[in-house]
Amino acid sequence: MTGVSGKVGLVFVSHSAKIAEGLVELAAQMAAGTALAAAGGTDDGGVGTSFDRVAAAIAAVDSGVGVVVLCDLGSAILTAETAKDFLDDAVRERVVIVDAPLVEGAVAAAVEAEGGGDMAAVVSAARSAIGAFATEDKTSLDGGAAGPPEGYSRSVTIVNRDGLHARPAAEFVKLANTLDAPVTVNGKDARSLLGIMSMGLVKGSTVELVTPSVDGQPAVDSLAELIESGFGES
Amino acid sequence: MTLNTDWAVRWIKGSAAVVSEHRVELITLDREIGDGDHGENLDRGFSAVLPKLDDLPTDASPGDALKLVATTLISTVGGAAGPLYGTAYLKAAGAVAGQAELDGAALVAMLTAARDGIVLRGKAEAGDKTMVDAWTPAVDAAAKGLAAGLDEAAILDAAASAAEAGARATEPLVARKGRASYLGERAIGHRDPGAQSSALLLRVAADAAAGA
């Protein structure tokens, strides 16, 4: 076994070696303790996908818990599926290929894997990238204007310099994942990294944290305090 | 006559030659509606198969030869054609595994398995402007030929002719799979390069049987 023990590993398959390597670099910022492997380009360094590179990348990140493979255009998926078919039965069962936007899906999956999420959670995080940005306008217009009367809500202003960009958003989502109560941020699920990032919340924005039941008050408060803390940024 | 390993090797060598000969034509077709690498990728793949044929054991079956093509194409082609053709040859090899000589029924089973492999991998249907548009008519013609009592060479000839007609028939289609699907109606008037290469490969299979 290779990879990081107990954690789901990730493979990024792209026609371009640079894209795949860049994704590893980007995702590692938020998932430094997760096994990430690039499988980009052909064996001779050209544009395309390589069966051998995909197979090697899967082997390199497989700790036995599972491997999630994200792909770019068409033949990347075909190559990944073919590589999967050639694996031993036991290994094949723990490899899932996710057809989702590559960059957004990779980041969301990496954050989930880093937090110790199991296969289902990492796959779900990667899939959350599908359409995560499609409802952006609608949400910013009417998202979370008023909480349900029987629940609990709290308005908070973003204070850190760069707003809820990737690292703070990841920190926020990690905390939300540890809380029992469901919380929305301007109408978006607080556990959805891409949902949070897609709102483009900058310094000075006000967000409405809402939970449907008063039992969720501690959850809303701890998330509000994290935002007010500025995530350790100036 | 039945089809033996000599036939399979002639087919493979002939495929390498015909892909090399039609390299520019396939690149041009693919450049018009895809990413322009189909001819080059297939040429690289089949060129890589040739030296490996020498390592085939003397008692190798036709299926063994086809499996060698499958694994080599999957590893070396680099574009969508690698997994697609690789899976086709792999399924074809599986359908005739262990048979030293292929009769008409085995031949039809082999062609059917190849087509099903392409469909499984690419999830394309007839009319999507893909390889399937050459393979499905070829399989249908082969099955009809078998039922009509044709010999193996004649079955392959019928399959190749149907594949050629199928490839030509992709010209007026809008692509629904692959890179060409991004082009919408601009793909109309261009022949699908995968259907064209499929027709070429099946014609070589027929020629290899006729020359036996």
Side-chain angles (χ1 to χ4, degrees):
Chain A
M1 287 302 163
T2 54
V4 175
S5 176
K7 277 192 183 171
V8 172
L10 298 179
V11 172
F12 307 136
V13 184
S14 172
H15 279 60
S16 154
K18 288 180 186 169
I19 288 178
E21 286 157 16
L23 272 173
V24 168
E25 186 186 23
L26 178 67
Q29 277 202 311
M30 282 168 279
T34 299
L36 310 167
T42 59
D43 289 336
D44 51 8
V47 172
T49 48
S50 154
F51 172 85
D52 292 332
R53 286 191 179 191
V54 175
I58 290 173
V61 302
D62 178 24
S63 70
V65 178
V67 176
V68 173
V69 183
L70 286 118
C71 308
D72 66 1
L73 305 166
S75 74
I77 297 171
L78 300 189
T79 301
E81 286 176 346
T82 308
K84 185 180 165 179
D85 282 354
F86 274 78
L87 294 171
D88 293 338
D89 290 349
V91 181
R92 185 166 59 240
E93 281 171 13
R94 57 175 185 263
V95 174
V96 174
I97 298 163
V98 179
D99 187 8
L102 185 55
V103 178
E104 295 86 344
V107 171
V111 168
E112 185 63 41
E114 179 76 4
D118 62 9
M119 271 303 277
V122 176
V123 167
S124 162
R127 291 209 174 113
S128 75
I130 302 169
F133 293 79
T135 55
E136 186 176 349
D137 289 345
K138 189 176 174 299
T139 307
S140 59
L141 287 177
D142 59 24
E150 70 273 26
Y152 174 76
S153 71
R154 183 165 159 184
S155 286
V156 208
T157 302
I158 310 281
V159 295
N160 56 310
R161 193 190 61 206
D162 296 327
L164 280 190
H165 66 89
R167 190 194 57 80
E171 219 173 293
F172 182 84
V173 168
K174 273 183 204 166
L175 175 61
N177 272 314
T178 65
L179 303 170
D180 290 334
V183 177
T184 59
V185 182
N186 290 357
K188 295 223 171 183
D189 184 356
R191 293 168 187 165
S192 164
L193 177 70
L194 297 171
I196 302 296
M197 286 175 67
S198 71
M199 288 188 280
L201 295 166
V202 295
K203 183 178 180 180
S205 318
T206 302
V207 296
E208 188 81 4
L209 303 175
V210 178
T211 187
S213 153
V214 287
D215 297 340
Q217 183 173 344
V220 164
D221 286 339
S222 57
L223 288 169
E225 279 153 25
L226 177 64
I227 291 177
E228 286 170 340
S229 78
F231 299 92
E233 295 179 1
S234 53
Chain B
M1 53 143 273
T2 53
L3 304 170
N4 56 18
T5 305
D6 285 344
W7 162 75
V9 169
R10 277 201 306 281
W11 178 20
I12 296 162
K13 287 183 174 168
S15 297
V18 88
V19 163
S20 172
E21 190 185 322
H22 290 263
R23 185 173 167 273
V24 173
E25 175 198 331
L26 293 172
I27 287 172
T28 305
L29 286 176
D30 195 26
R31 191 167 286 146
E32 285 163 351
I33 59 170
D35 50 7
D37 62 2
H38 191 56
E40 196 177 326
N41 284 344
L42 274 190
D43 190 19
R44 180 174 55 239
F46 275 102
S47 299
V49 176
L50 289 179
K52 295 188 183 179
L53 286 174
D54 298 335
D55 300 334
L56 268 184
T58 46
D59 61 348
S61 67
D64 293 335
L66 296 177
K67 194 172 176 191
L68 179 68
V69 176
T71 52
T72 309
L73 292 187
I74 286 169
S75 295
T76 55
V77 168
L84 289 168
Y85 275 130
T87 306
Y89 280 96
L90 195 66
K91 299 292 181 188
V96 297
Q99 299 181 43
E101 299 208 327
L102 313 184
D103 60 11
L107 175 59
V108 171
M110 184 196 87
L111 294 172
T112 305
R115 187 273 313 272
D116 291 351
I118 291 169
V119 170
L120 167 89
R121 182 65 63 216
K123 298 171 189 74
E125 295 170 12
D128 283 353
K129 198 177 181 107
T130 72
M131 294 180 182
V132 175
D133 293 320
W135 278 91
T136 290
V139 169
D140 292 347
K144 211 166 143 188
L146 176 68
L150 298 183
D151 70 11
E152 290 76 28
I155 290 173
L156 277 170
D157 181 55
S161 298
E164 286 156 1
R168 283 193 297 275
T170 63
E171 288 177 14
L173 299 176
V174 171
R176 287 197 290 259
K177 288 281 173 189
R179 205 70 71 89
S181 64
Y182 297 128
L183 294 177
E185 300 201 336
R186 277 184 290 150
I188 292 174
H190 300 283
R191 187 176 304 188
D192 178 65
Q196 180 66 7
S197 62
S198 296
L200 290 171
L201 296 177
L202 285 167
R203 176 52 66 197
V204 178
D207 289 349

